[in-house]
Amino acid sequence: MTKTELFQILSWRLGDRDDLNPRMETELNFVQDYVLEANAWLPWFLVTEESEALLVAGERRLPLPTDFLSELEESALWLELTDGTTEELPKGAFDVLARKHQGEGKPLAYSVQGEYFHLFPIPDLPYKVFMRYNQKDSRITDEGTPSRWLKYCADLVLAELGFVLAGKHIKDAGLAAAFQADAQASWKKLYDRHIAQQEINQARSMGGNS
């Protein structure tokens, strides 16, 4: 589905309100940032491929990727060693790690504070690290990279956007409630697919897919 098609369907469901299109544009960005991508759990299609970054010797901080939303529960930072092998770095509380790992050396753990990964101890060499994380999707437009939100759950985007427009702009409580019910059903459907996808990945990692 395209953004144009989404807006057309939504204008019909709001009572043939083509006059709301300019508001839809702005509210769509709000819904993506503060509803869809601010959810307590994030769907599988936002998980990145493995990315890499280079640490700076003598610098504890590594900036989070610009498209970073959150870490994955099952994935952490991986450090490439001088012999080419990798090892996982456990995550810990900043204060605890700062007391435990002082000075410089091979990083043994990390913490996340603000917009940075913090390595402990401070890297003594420009090590390479690898990571996977939940990634912000591109803006929902008709140009450029297609939106993953529209690809996998256009019904959810429509329902959440419709809920905002019906409740905040048209101020129709009954219509807003109908969109809210649609959104709840769409979140449930997406969550079921998300869990199924995780189970498939776990089965593959154990050597089977039955």
Side-chain angles (χ1 to χ4, degrees):
M1 174 175 287
T2 66
K3 187 192 73 172
T4 297
E5 291 170 333
L6 179 82
F7 282 7
Q8 182 62 73
I9 293 172
L10 191 53
S11 68
W12 290 335
R13 295 187 184 183
L14 289 168
D16 294 325
R17 294 292 302 268
D18 291 335
D19 59 309
L20 292 175
N21 276 31
R23 301 187 185 197
M24 289 183 190
E25 291 278 357
T26 302
E27 291 286 14
L28 179 59
N29 291 338
F30 180 90
V31 165
Q32 181 177 348
D33 290 343
Y34 297 104
V35 180
L36 301 176
E37 293 178 358
N39 195 48
W41 59 270
L42 294 170
W44 79 95
F45 56 76
L46 294 181
V47 176
T48 63
E49 297 295 326
E50 188 175 76
S51 63
E52 62 181 59
L54 194 63
L55 303 181
V56 177
E59 171 59 59
R60 183 188 305 282
R61 299 182 307 170
L62 173 67
L64 296 176
T66 56
D67 58 1
F68 182 91
L69 281 174
S70 64
E71 295 178 272
L72 304 178
E73 289 185 11
E74 70 279 7
S75 182
L77 285 180
W78 289 81
L79 183 75
E80 183 178 79
L81 305 179
T82 54
D83 63 0
T85 61
T86 58
E87 65 180 28
E88 184 177 3
L89 297 181
K91 183 181 179 182
F94 183 97
D95 292 344
V96 173
L97 295 177
R99 288 193 298 268
K100 184 177 181 181
H101 303 291
Q102 300 182 16
E104 296 188 4
K106 184 190 76 173
L108 300 172
Y110 78 99
S111 179
V112 176
Q113 293 281 311
E115 297 183 348
Y116 295 90
F117 293 109
H118 293 261
L119 285 303
F120 298 89
I122 296 171
D124 59 342
L125 294 172
Y127 297 94
K128 185 182 293 185
V129 292
F130 301 90
M131 68 188 86
R132 293 170 68 237
Y133 56 91
N134 287 310
Q135 177 187 50
K136 295 178 184 178
D137 195 13
S138 57
R139 282 293 183 216
I140 300 173
T141 67
D142 285 334
E143 297 83 32
T145 304
S147 165
R148 285 169 280 177
W149 287 106
L150 290 188
K151 178 179 180 179
Y152 292 102
C153 53
D155 57 335
L156 174 60
V157 179
L158 188 147
E160 289 288 9
L161 182 56
F163 173 65
V164 171
L165 293 166
K168 301 296 185 181
H169 297 272
I170 298 176
K171 301 187 186 303
D172 185 323
L175 188 57
F179 277 115
Q180 186 176 41
D182 288 345
Q184 291 171 346
S186 296
W187 275 117
K188 174 64 166 59
K189 182 172 69 174
L190 181 62
Y191 182 73
D192 290 343
R193 290 182 65 189
H194 177 69
I195 295 300
Q197 187 70 30
Q198 285 185 322
E199 291 174 349
I200 290 172
N201 290 340
Q202 288 171 0
R204 287 174 177 168
S205 69
M206 292 188 296
N209 57 9
S210 58

